[in-house]
């Protein structure tokens, strides 16, 4: 099987119940407990209607920039709840998907698509809540010649996504949670979210304690404190 033009089996997939539990957490909370070291990059933005949440299992595609042959095949292989993650090299010259491919993914019950590349038919994509994260928009359509690979590790702006990893996204951006760390990360993110909700309640009640600010400034040697 030649590297650069191959389809591999996917060996891992998270428990769907765990995926649903992640869906209730802000991506920012998950990012915080992952030491803020993992991100899909600020270029990848949500293209769908505001408020839509992405959570699902990664089905990865590495494609030649501007070519979507293997993306079509990935849609045919995908299971309900999958997120197709496409590394198209970040090139914005040609769109990788548009409205027609979006309709296929919705019909098959996919959870969303992530493209390190461009889309087209952006008005139609913005009008619905199927999660689509991409780096840009162009009217120029794709080629369909390959090469490409399915179910290989890909990297987007330094974030490595392996087949079967959890892929999360909301209005703040995109994040990958490694499958073998998902339970521990979920527990930590849930605790972080609960702490922030308590802090919001304290702010509303006027009992928020911000003494840490002055304490930090003193530790850093700031002058002019009261």
């Amino acid at each position: 099987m030649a590297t650069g033009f191959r389809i591999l089996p996917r060996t891992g997939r998270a428990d769907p119940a765990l995926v649903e539990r992640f869906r209730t957490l802000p991506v920012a909370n998950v990012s915080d407990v992952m030491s803020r070291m993992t991100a899909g990059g600020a270029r990848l933005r949500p293209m769908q209607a505001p408020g839509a949440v992405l959570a699902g299992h990664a089905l990865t595609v590495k494609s030649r920039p501007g070519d979507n042959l293997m993306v079509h095949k990935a849609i045919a292989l995908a299971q309900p709840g999958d997120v197709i993650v496409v590394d198209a090299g970040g090139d914005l010259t040609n769109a990788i998907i548009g409205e027609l491919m979006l309709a296929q993914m919705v019909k098959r019950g996919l959870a969303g698509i992530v493209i390190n590349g461009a889309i087209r038919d952006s008005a139609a994509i913005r009008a619905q809540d199927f999660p689509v994260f991409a780096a840009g928009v162009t009217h120029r359509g794709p080629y369909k010649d390959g090469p490409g690979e399915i179910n290989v590790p890909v990297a987007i702006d330094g974030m490595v996504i392996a087949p079967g990893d959890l892929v999360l996204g909301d209005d703040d951006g995109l994040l990958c949670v490694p499958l073998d760390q998902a339970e521990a990360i979920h527990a930590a993110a849930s605790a972080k979210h609960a702490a922030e909700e308590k802090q919001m309640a304290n702010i509303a009640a006027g009992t928020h304690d911000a003494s840490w600010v002055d304490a930090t400034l003193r530790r850093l040697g700031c002058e002019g404190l009261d």
Side-chain angles (χ1 to χ4, degrees):
M1 191 176 290
T3 298
F5 222 144
R6 57 183 179 167
I7 300 172
L8 302 179
R10 182 173 53 180
T11 56
R13 205 164 186 262
D15 181 352
L18 177 60
V19 175
E20 288 305 307
R21 295 203 302 274
F22 266 106
R23 189 182 294 277
T24 66
L25 296 173
V27 169
N29 288 159
V30 183
S31 176
D32 284 349
V33 302
M34 294 177 70
S35 301
R36 305 179 179 95
M37 291 291 289
T38 301
R43 292 179 71 236
L44 289 184
R45 303 309 307 156
M47 298 291 181
Q48 71 280 356
V53 174
L54 172 68
H57 323 87
L59 193 162
T60 61
V61 180
K62 188 173 181 63
S63 70
R64 178 171 67 93
D67 190 288
N68 74 356
L69 175 62
M70 283 300 198
V71 182
H72 279 279
K73 182 59 179 177
I75 293 173
L77 292 173
Q79 302 174 36
D82 282 347
V83 177
I84 296 178
V85 180
V86 184
D87 177 11
D91 183 78
L92 304 181
T93 306
N94 298 84
I96 298 298
I97 71 158
E99 185 177 10
L100 293 176
M101 293 176 74
L102 179 76
Q104 296 176 50
M105 290 184 282
V106 171
K107 181 66 175 178
R108 293 185 62 83
L110 274 60
I113 187 167
V114 175
I115 304 169
N116 189 17
I119 63 165
R120 66 177 180 178
D121 302 328
S122 58
I125 290 172
R126 282 196 304 271
Q128 48 72 56
D129 59 4
F130 182 84
V132 177
F133 285 75
V137 177
T138 179
H139 57 80
R140 295 177 65 176
Y143 299 100
K144 304 179 188 301
D145 306 303
E149 299 181 310
I150 293 177
N151 283 328
V152 296
V154 298
I156 298 177
D157 202 27
M159 182 177 71
V160 178
I161 306 104
D165 282 348
L166 271 71
V167 181
L168 311 176
D170 60 19
D171 290 336
D172 282 342
L174 190 75
L175 183 65
C176 174
V177 177
L179 182 57
D180 61 354
Q181 302 174 42
E183 287 283 2
I185 289 172
H186 179 271
S190 294
K192 171 72 173 176
H193 185 50
E196 288 196 356
E197 288 188 320
K198 182 178 179 180
Q199 189 174 0
M200 285 293 291
N202 290 339
I203 291 170
T207 58
H208 176 60
D209 180 8
S211 60
W212 67 269
V213 177
D214 282 352
T216 301
L217 291 172
R218 288 190 181 92
R219 177 175 58 82
L220 295 173
C222 179
E223 297 181 4
L225 292 175
D226 293 335

